[in-house]
Amino acid sequence: MPTNFYAPGARDLLPLDVVQKHWVETGIQDVFHRWGYHRIVTSTLERLETLTAGGAVDPETVIQIPSAESGTLGLRPELTASIARAAVARMGDLYPQRLYYNANVFRRADLAHHGRQQEFYQAGIELLGIGGILADAEAILLAIDCLTALAVPNWQIILGEAGLSRALLAQFPIEFQTQIRRCLAHLDRVTLEQLPLAPQQRQLALSLLDLRGKPAVVLERLSQLELDDRSQATIAHLQTLIELLAASSPTELSLILDLSLIQTFDYYTGIVFEAVSICDDRTYVVGEGGRYDQLLALYHPQGQNFPGIGFVLNIEDLQQVLQTHPAMPHYTAKPDWLVVATDPTAAAAALIYSNKLRSVPAKMCVEMYLDNEDPDRIRQIALDRGIAKIAWVSLDAVTIEEVH
C-alpha cells in the first residue's frame, strides 16, 4: 500500500485557496464583461495535433494520453489553440469574436524537475477575426484594466514584437540563431560574447541586448540599425501603438519596450507582451499574450485565415501578489447560525428549524451541530469560529442566543 497518495506536480486547493481564487477570478470576469467579452468553455482533452498548433507548441510540454479510437490525446497546455479550433469549427465566419475563458491548464514538467507543478489556473481573452492597431491597443488596455481593477501592485507592461525579433535574428548565421535568441531572452551578455561570431556580427548581437528599456530610447536605437522596409513598417506600427496606449490609458502607463521578449509558445506573429508585478523583491509574471495571425487557418476546413490577439492572466501568481490587498479574503465564510438540538428527541425539530432559516431571502449560512457536548463547549466553538447566533432547539421551544 503506498504511503504517499499525492500525484507529482499536483496541487490541492483548500477552502481558503478556493475563496481567494474565486475573488480574483470574479474581479477579472467583471472587467471582461464590461468590455463585451463572452465566456467559452472548451474541452480539457484535445487531439495532440490540435494542441501543438502546427508545431508552435512543443509536444514534450503536453501531458499525453494514448487513445485506441482517436490517436494520441492530450491535456491542454494553454487555451488559445483550443479556442481557435472551436471558433473556426463551430462559430462560423462572423467576426470579430470577443471570447474569454477561466480554466485550468496542464504542462508536463521535464525529468530534471520531478515534482514541479503541472496544473495551473488561468483566465484570459481572445479577440478573433480582426487585426490592426486598435485591436492591439484593446488587448493591452483590457489587460491594464484588469490589473487596475484588482489593484495589482507595482505592475509594468513589457512590450515586444515577435516578427521584428525574428527579422533581427535572421541577420545571423542560422546555426547561431537559437543560441543568440536564448542569450537575448536571458540577458546573458557573457555567453553572447563567447559565441564564435565575426566581430561585426558579435557587435550587432551585443547591441540587441540594449533594445530594452524606455520606448523612446529603444526606438531611437532601432532607427540606427539597417533594417528592411518591412521591419521599418513594424517599427512605425510599434511607435503609433505606444503613442495610442499612452494617450488612452486611464492610469499612468508603465511600459517597457523589449525586443528580446520571446513567449513560450511560438505561434505569435506580431506584438507580444507580459504583465509583471514586482512584489517583495520578486518579479511575478502575472499575464502574457500577443498577436497570432496564422493560427486560425490551421483549424479552418478550407484553410481560411483570420487574425487574432489575446492574453492570459495567471491566477495563482495574482493570488500571491494580492495577499496584502485589503479586500482579499483571509478567512472562509462564517456561518450566520449554529443550530443545536438540546437532546436527541429534538433532532427532527432542529433539522426543520435549520431549513427554515436557510429558506429566508437573505440566504443565510446555517450549520447544525451534529454531536452532543456541553453547552459551554458549544458556545466556545461558536465564538472561535465567529458564528453570530446559536439556536437551541427543543421539542417545544427555540431559544436564540447571541454569541459574544
Side-chain angles (χ1 to χ4, degrees):
M1 179 71 68
T3 57
N4 182 4
F5 296 95
Y6 201 70
R11 180 191 174 201
D12 296 319
L13 296 183
L14 302 181
L16 181 57
D17 298 320
V18 174
V19 169
Q20 292 186 343
K21 175 175 175 288
H22 177 72
W23 181 82
V24 173
E25 290 170 339
T26 299
I28 292 169
Q29 289 178 176
D30 287 347
V31 178
F32 290 168
H33 288 158
R34 291 200 302 269
W35 283 69
Y37 284 72
H38 305 277
R39 186 171 185 180
I40 184 171
V41 178
T42 60
S43 174
T44 305
L45 272 177
E46 295 268 14
R47 293 179 180 272
L48 183 61
E49 56 265 32
T50 296
L51 299 176
T52 54
V57 176
D58 185 354
E60 293 299 315
T61 67
V62 180
I63 298 176
Q64 299 180 24
I65 302 172
S67 170
E69 297 179 355
S70 307
T72 303
L73 304 177
L75 299 175
R76 59 192 178 205
E78 52 88 57
L79 269 295
T80 299
S82 295
I83 292 175
R85 187 266 309 154
V88 298
R90 304 286 304 280
M91 301 180 71
D93 295 342
L94 181 62
Y95 291 104
Q97 290 282 355
R98 288 180 168 87
L99 305 172
Y100 84 85
Y101 57 87
N102 182 10
N104 52 351
V105 298
F106 306 85
R107 294 176 192 164
R108 187 172 68 181
D110 59 46
L111 294 177
H113 297 92
H114 180 74
R116 176 176 285 185
Q117 186 175 344
Q118 297 186 101
E119 182 178 9
F120 307 87
Y121 294 92
Q122 299 183 336
I125 64 99
E126 308 296 345
L127 176 54
L128 304 178
I130 188 165
I133 199 165
L134 284 178
D136 290 352
E138 176 169 318
I140 295 174
L141 290 171
L142 175 49
I144 290 173
D145 200 3
C146 291
L147 301 177
T148 304
L150 291 173
V152 173
N154 304 320
W155 61 264
Q156 285 184 333
I157 298 294
I158 301 175
L159 178 64
E161 220 294 339
L164 184 56
S165 296
R166 290 191 187 99
L168 293 171
L169 287 171
Q171 300 178 80
F172 300 96
I174 192 168
E175 63 268 23
F176 295 115
Q177 289 179 14
T178 299
Q179 292 173 281
I180 294 171
R181 174 177 171 170
R182 188 179 299 116
C183 290
L184 295 176
H186 294 92
L187 303 179
D188 186 354
R189 182 178 292 272
V190 173
T191 302
L192 197 59
E193 288 177 336
Q194 294 174 351
L195 292 178
L197 296 167
Q200 186 176 359
Q201 289 177 336
R202 182 178 295 105
Q203 185 59 41
L204 175 60
L206 291 171
S207 72
L208 299 185
L209 278 174
D210 297 326
L211 297 179
R212 186 181 193 278
K214 293 183 177 180
V217 175
V218 175
L219 290 169
E220 172 60 28
R221 289 170 181 160
L222 279 171
S223 68
Q224 299 171 12
L225 300 177
E226 295 183 6
L227 300 172
D228 59 24
D229 291 345
R230 183 174 180 178
S231 296
Q232 294 289 356
T234 301
I235 294 169
H237 178 94
L238 265 179
Q239 185 163 5
T240 304
L241 174 62
I242 291 167
E243 292 170 355
L244 181 60
L245 292 172
S248 53
S249 176
T251 60
E252 183 178 353
L253 185 63
S254 180
L255 180 67
I256 299 295
L257 184 56
D258 181 3
L259 295 181
S260 68
L261 179 61
I262 297 167
Q263 298 290 37
T264 304
F265 304 115
D266 200 26
Y267 44 60
Y268 293 103
T269 58
I271 67 160
V272 290
F273 60 95
E274 288 183 345
V276 302
S277 173
I278 302 171
C279 187
D280 296 329
D281 297 323
R282 178 180 170 185
T283 299
Y284 293 83
V285 179
V286 296
E288 53 198 319
R291 171 161 292 286
Y292 46 89
D293 284 350
Q294 298 170 7
L295 181 62
L296 273 67
L298 296 175
Y299 308 110
H300 195 279
Q302 286 77 45
Q304 188 175 354
N305 197 29
F306 301 94
I309 187 171
F311 68 81
V312 60
L313 297 172
N314 301 316
I315 301 299
E316 290 145 302
D317 288 311
L318 285 169
Q319 280 183 247
Q320 287 295 316
V321 303
L322 291 170
Q323 285 298 311
T324 59
H325 191 293
M328 169 66 86
H330 289 285
Y331 303 95
T332 55
K334 300 174 183 177
D336 301 292
W337 287 85
L338 183 62
V339 177
V340 183
T342 57
D343 60 73
T345 64
L351 286 167
I352 292 170
Y353 190 76
S354 297
N355 285 333
K356 179 182 176 181
L357 290 174
R358 295 187 188 105
S359 66
V360 300
K363 296 183 179 180
M364 288 183 290
C365 178
V366 180
E367 288 189 11
M368 184 169 167
Y369 200 76
L370 303 177
D371 205 351
N372 295 315
E373 288 202 47
D374 176 73
D376 288 338
R377 170 64 178 155
I378 295 174
R379 291 186 181 97
Q380 186 60 50
I381 290 171
L383 183 64
D384 292 343
R385 296 188 58 205
I387 299 174
K389 296 178 181 180
I390 302 176
W392 303 93
V393 180
S394 65
L395 280 175
D396 53 6
V398 177
T399 304
I400 307 302
E401 179 181 340
E402 302 278 349
V403 180
H404 300 290

